[in-house]
Amino acid sequence: MRAVRYHPDASAEFLREIEYYFALSPALSERFDRAVLACEVLSAESPDRWPKYLYSTRRILDRKF
């Protein structure tokens, strides 16, 4: 399984989103965190499955968030 790497700006955005969802509901922030983790696992298991995006990256979208 390959490692999933984040740009520093993406990591900062993720933390801001966790805080936002936590302010709405701690349970919602937990669901968001689990959804991101699930996407990480899927992308690490089969990175070529996801469409190419900018700058030689790939992108996976979660339809719930």
Side-chain angles (χ1 to χ4, degrees):
M1 188 160 58
R2 297 180 69 168
V4 176
R5 294 180 295 155
Y6 286 91
H7 186 279
D9 291 343
S11 295
E13 181 180 356
F14 171 72
L15 293 176
R16 283 192 306 272
E17 293 299 315
I18 288 286
E19 291 173 355
Y20 169 77
Y21 287 122
F22 188 84
L24 296 175
S25 162
L28 184 59
S29 89
E30 181 64 31
R31 281 184 35 220
F32 176 71
D33 188 38
R34 282 195 313 264
V36 171
L37 179 58
C39 288
E40 286 179 9
V41 170
L42 288 172
S43 64
E45 287 176 344
S46 55
D48 295 333
R49 175 179 175 186
W50 310 104
K52 290 184 179 180
Y53 193 57
L54 302 173
Y55 311 109
S56 300
T57 61
R58 299 212 177 238
R59 182 165 93 165
I60 180 173
L61 300 175
D62 180 86
R63 300 288 180 204
K64 295 175 187 166
F65 289 94

